[in-house]
């Protein structure tokens, strides 16, 4: 999966062949075809593996206080995105809309992260409205992370502080795009 992700990250999907991935993984094309009938199946498996790695990397000790879990979760998310910078950018820029199954895998990951936030911070307000707010917040953090990575990083502490504040604002019923606080 690491070799497949690396190859898919280096070049556009359409330019990648199973032979390219086999060479990068130091296996035969036949061995890949034995596990994956198509390049798309291999790509989906690589995306699912990357998603599972992100979920695992952002698993935080439940014994911590809710705000500490939030801080650590955001740090782990940003660290993971930074460690897998090229793959994160390629997936978020090019791949999410390319295939319904890929979109579903990414959406499932978002849902798992959103559920963690519910459990860790918003358990007292598990409403459809809060679910919608958290979806918006996650999309905001993804877009901001993409921009942050593409701009070469920058002040990590400020980035994390802004992400934390925006979630707390959303949780408490205020929107950044609604600065006067009208619900």
């Amino acid at each position: 999966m690491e070799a497949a992700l690396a190859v898919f990250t280096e070049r556009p999907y359409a330019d990648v062949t199973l032979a390219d991935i086999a060479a990068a993984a130091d296996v035969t094309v036949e061995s890949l075809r034995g596990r994956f009938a198509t390049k798309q199946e291999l790509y989906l498996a690589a995306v699912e593996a990357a998603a599972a790695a992100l979920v695992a990397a952002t698993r935080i000790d439940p014994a911590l206080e809710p705000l500490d879990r939030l801080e650590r979760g955001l740090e782990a998310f940003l660290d993971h995105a930074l460690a897998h910078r090229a793959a994160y950018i390629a997936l978020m820029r090019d791949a999410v809309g390319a295939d319904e199954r890929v979109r579903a895998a990414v959406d499932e990951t978002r849902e798992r992260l959103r559920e963690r936030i519910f459990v860790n911070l918003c358990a007292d307000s598990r409403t459809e409205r809060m679910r919608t707010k958290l979806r918006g917040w996650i999309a905001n953090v993804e877009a901001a992370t993409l921009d942050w990575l593409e701009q070469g990083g920058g002040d990590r502490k400020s980035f994390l502080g802004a992400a934390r504040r925006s979630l707390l604002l959303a949780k408490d019923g205020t929107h950044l795009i609604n600065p006067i606080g009208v619900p």
Side-chain angles (χ1 to χ4, degrees):
M1 289 301 105
E2 288 178 27
L5 279 171
V7 174
F8 284 124
T9 298
E10 293 167 1
R11 297 195 302 269
Y13 176 85
D15 295 346
V16 175
T17 66
L18 286 177
D20 297 330
I21 296 167
D26 199 26
V27 299
T28 66
V29 173
E30 291 75 27
S31 67
L32 281 181
R33 287 190 197 278
R35 290 191 60 204
F36 306 100
T38 65
K39 176 175 74 168
Q40 183 60 24
E41 284 185 20
L42 175 56
Y43 182 71
L44 179 60
V47 168
E48 288 172 341
L54 173 62
V55 169
T58 58
R59 190 169 292 121
I60 304 303
D61 181 358
L64 295 173
E65 291 297 317
L67 288 177
D68 290 336
R69 289 193 304 262
L70 172 63
E71 297 276 343
R72 298 250 171 78
L74 283 168
E75 290 171 0
F77 174 81
L78 192 60
D79 289 346
H80 188 82
L82 189 56
H84 303 280
R85 180 183 181 280
Y88 185 90
I89 290 171
L91 180 65
M92 298 312 290
R93 276 279 179 240
D94 304 323
V96 172
D99 179 272
E100 187 173 320
R101 294 178 302 167
V102 171
R103 251 189 332 274
V106 172
D107 285 345
E108 180 181 329
T109 302
R110 288 177 179 140
E111 183 64 18
R112 291 178 74 185
L113 296 175
R114 186 202 54 78
E115 184 61 25
R116 278 194 187 154
I117 296 167
F118 258 152
V119 169
N120 290 334
L121 190 63
C122 305
D124 59 332
S125 56
R126 294 177 69 96
T127 64
E128 188 60 34
R129 184 172 181 193
M130 183 53 71
R131 177 186 167 107
T132 300
K133 286 180 181 185
L134 290 178
R135 281 185 173 170
W137 179 80
I138 289 169
N140 181 42
V141 169
E142 286 176 352
T145 301
L146 183 60
D147 184 62
W148 188 80
L149 291 170
E150 289 178 331
Q151 299 303 318
D155 186 353
R156 184 177 186 274
K157 185 176 179 179
S158 292
F159 179 91
L160 291 167
R164 177 183 180 268
R165 283 188 304 279
S166 69
L167 176 60
L168 295 176
L169 285 170
K171 178 186 179 296
D172 294 332
T174 306
H175 305 116
L176 293 178
I177 57 173
N178 183 9
I180 60 172
V182 177

